[in-house]
Amino acid sequence: MRGFITKKATILIPWTHPTLNLRHPTLESFVWNNLIRSTTLQPPLSIYLRMRRHAVVPDLHTFPFLLPSLTHLPLAHSLHAHTFLFGLHTHPFTQTSLIAMYSSCGCLNSARQVFDEITLPDTPSYTAVIHAYCKGGMVDIARRMFDQMTDKNVLSYSCMINGYVKCGEHAAALGLFRNLLALEGSGAGSEIKPNEFTFSAVLSACAKLGALQHGKWVHAYIGRCGMRIDVVLGTALIDMYGKCGDVERARCVFDEIGRDEKDVMAWSAMICAFAMHGRTEECLEMFGRMVDDGVSPNAVTFVGILCACVHGGLVREGDEFFKRMVTEYSVRPLIQHYGCMVDLYGRAGRIDDAWNVVKSMPMEPDVMIWGALLSGARMHGDIETCEVSIKKLLELDPSNSGAYVLLSNVNAKLGRWREVRHLRELMEARGIKKVPGCSLVEIDGVLHEFFVGDDSHPETQDIYRMLDEIMKRLKRQGYVGDTSEVLLDLDEEGKESALSLHSEKLAIAYCFLKTGPGTTIRIVKNLRICKDCHVAIKMMSREFNREIIVRDCNRFHHFKNGVCSCKDYW
DNA sequence: CTAGGGTTAG
């Protein structure tokens, strides 16, 4: 209630009118709702507050747009109270947007509470709560709720598939997509047509996995649906082809997008694709064309450009781009950009310059920065810098297995096997698991995963026999295992056999078994490729006349005729 | 037809 004074008496004007049907829209609320919805100028909340200051009563159209725009929990709670105040808390549209609101605030508990109070949750409210769980990383709970739903539609499927992708469960995402398509074949009138959102989530899963065959199939499927490939879908396709090792196709998709349709993201995706593949000249040429077309590069574009300079060893150019990024394009450097610069100088052996970058950055150096400094220092044998960066790495993140591995590598390189052993004990004591090397290949549309020393594959005997044969042939050609990067404190022979069991070698052996001569082999690895495998695969590509494309966690290696596209610089 | 659930690059 609020009151104001007249000459005769205090008249109380109800804040809300008790006899009015509050849910019923009025001309006034209609106008305010549209103001709230207008995306220009004021944020929805401030317009809502003005609406309230004018004592206009919200109706059932007011909250659905307003609530999900809130990201601050205390505000969310008070607006939740408003829905009660106006008796709208039982309205299905409002309830769903309450869930979406708590999801935007990252408050899973409240989101779930609202959901549980709905007597008969419908598809949107289910989807909203599923989204909330996916966003919070609880994809298994999300899936359980998804399975409870009786009326699933494109949105609920897309949301669930996207949730899997966001939580890193890419194979599950593809699996669910297949379920979705199977509905179509099963008849029962229950077919759900995937849309642009579904496809971009699925393409993202293919990209992360490096599953080229799946990705190509999805591309073809999109075409068969008669769906136009717009910038968003085009960008997803460019990204997928780039990350699956097929830059040529990425380029084709890129060229198909209309000239005036191409935005920063489309250009950046193409630039990053060239960068990952070490195709530095084309990458820089793209940048030039982009600028000529009047599209302003952003932070992501420059991550790609600087990466390209790192992979191409173009120190001077990288230097210049970094400066131009700030002066010419007013892009404020992010920590990734500084990381690229440390990498750029470090690899080129200019450790002092790398140090200067670390010292001059405006933010606290993170694990990536020290990791980059460490690998540069290690490459050029700067032991002092190695030690410092290692200490920093472990200080920042004592549970980072990567740090221990790098540290072990350095110690191994120095022959400090006692230190290596000590570290392994430390890792065990602290319960830190080393991330196992893992390689993925796709054969006839089936994904096969191999871990280091894996013997769980049904055809494991044949694989090892094949690998043995391959290695024998390489040895006849003068191959000697390079054990300098092996972690384990073993005798020479032991080290060499540990090397030959690296997951990429197993995966390649499997490809030799399963694919015809001359077929390109594509491997996706979760870690950085080691020196020994690099040498071995170069030789394989010549000896067996095979193109072998390996994606490691950092970039692509195209092996052909005994040479690698990275020019042994990675 | 004033209304709810989800979007592409690092």
Side-chain angles (χ1 to χ4, degrees), chain A residues 302-322:
Chain A
F302 280 105
V303 170
I305 292 290
L306 294 177
C307 271
C309 293
V310 171
H311 293 149
L314 304 178
V315 183
R316 194 174 47 80
E317 287 83 346
D319 227 4
E320 258 163 43
F321 273 116
F322 188 83

Side-chain angles (χ1 to χ4, degrees), chain A residues 130-131 134-135 137 139 142 157-169 173 201:
Chain A
I130 285 168
H131 173 73
C134 289
K135 205 180 152 214
V139 73
Y157 265 95
S158 305
C159 180
M160 194 62 233
I161 291 171
N162 195 40
Y164 275 130
V165 176
K166 289 280 139 67
C167 295
E169 297 198 25

Side-chain angles (χ1 to χ4, degrees), chain A residues 97 121 149 159 181 229 277 294 304 339 344 359 388 403 423 426 437 517 556:
Chain A
S97 47
M149 292 176 71
C159 180
L181 297 186
I229 292 172
H277 287 268
L344 187 70
K359 284 177 188 152
V388 180
L423 271 166
L426 201 65
F556 274 91

Side-chain angles (χ1 to χ4, degrees), chain A residues 175-371:
Chain A
L176 189 58
F177 179 63
R178 255 196 297 273
N179 290 354
L180 169 63
L181 297 186
L183 291 177
E184 206 172 351
S186 72
S190 60
E191 65 185 53
I192 299 169
K193 282 228 174 302
N195 63 18
E196 286 88 341
F197 302 123
T198 330
F199 287 128
S200 54
V202 172
L203 286 172
S204 171
C206 296
K208 292 273 163 52
L209 284 169
L212 180 63
Q213 292 169 17
H214 274 84
K216 274 161 92 169
W217 189 85
V218 173
H219 190 178
Y221 190 91
I222 293 170
R224 252 182 291 148
C225 289
M227 189 178 282
R228 199 183 82 86
I229 292 172
D230 62 355
V231 227
V232 178
L233 217 44
T235 304
L237 281 167
I238 293 166
D239 184 53
M240 181 278 290
Y241 280 125
K243 288 189 176 134
C244 290
D246 198 334
V247 221
E248 306 311 327
R249 268 179 225 269
R251 181 63 195 263
C252 288
V253 175
F254 180 79
D255 290 337
E256 289 288 302
I257 302 173
R259 194 185 153 168
D260 39 284
E261 230 187 319
K262 288 189 183 100
D263 61 1
V264 217
M265 297 189 213
W267 283 101
S268 302
M270 195 63 237
I271 284 171
C272 290
F274 279 129
M276 277 188 291
H277 287 268
R279 293 174 52 166
T280 314
E281 307 83 46
E282 283 148 295
C283 182
L284 300 187
E285 187 204 316
M286 272 286 148
F287 180 80
R289 280 187 45 199
M290 170 184 183
V291 174
D292 288 344
D293 269 16
V295 179
S296 301
N298 65 13
V300 180
T301 322
F302 280 105
V303 170
I305 292 290
L306 294 177
C307 271
C309 293
V310 171
H311 293 149
L314 304 178
V315 183
R316 194 174 47 80
E317 287 83 346
D319 227 4
E320 258 163 43
F321 273 116
F322 188 83
K323 289 195 188 98
R324 282 175 64 197
M325 167 172 94
V326 181
T327 56
E328 217 170 300
Y329 301 101
S330 6
V331 173
R332 211 173 27 166
L334 301 174
I335 199 150
Q336 286 110 307
H337 300 113
Y338 289 106
C340 288
M341 295 312 283
V342 174
D343 221 0
L344 187 70
Y345 292 130
R347 281 160 199 263
R350 291 166 58 174
I351 306 295
D352 288 344
D353 289 314
W355 262 119
N356 287 337
V357 175
V358 176
K359 284 177 188 152
S360 67
M361 357 183 324
M363 60 286 269
E364 274 304 303
D366 66 358
V367 180
M368 296 302 291
I369 299 284
W370 294 116

Side-chain angles (χ1 to χ4, degrees), chain A residues 46-96:
Chain A
S46 64
I47 300 181
Y48 171 74
L49 292 176
R50 276 170 63 183
M51 174 187 189
R52 294 302 303 131
R53 245 175 273 132
H54 286 269
V56 178
V57 179
D59 63 34
L60 68 172
H61 294 285
T62 309
F63 290 110
F65 190 84
L66 170 67
L67 296 183
S69 74
L70 296 169
T71 53
H72 185 57
L73 190 58
L75 284 176
H77 282 312
S78 53
L79 281 220
H80 191 174
H82 283 217
T83 64
F84 277 94
L85 192 61
F86 302 112
L88 288 161
H89 61 290
T90 52
H91 189 269
F93 281 63
T94 305
Q95 284 170 322
T96 300

Side-chain angles (χ1 to χ4, degrees), chain A residues 45 64 71 97 109 124 143 162 174 186 217 315 353 361 363 383 424 444 481 492 506 509 518 532 537 540 557 559 570:
Chain A
L45 179 63
T71 53
S97 47
N109 283 341
R143 179 56 190 263
N162 195 40
L174 293 187
S186 72
W217 189 85
V315 183
D353 289 314
M361 357 183 324
M363 60 286 269
I383 293 155
R424 283 175 69 199
D444 296 329
E492 281 299 316
L506 293 173
D532 175 70
I537 299 171
M540 286 180 206
H557 300 264
F559 299 93
W570 79 94

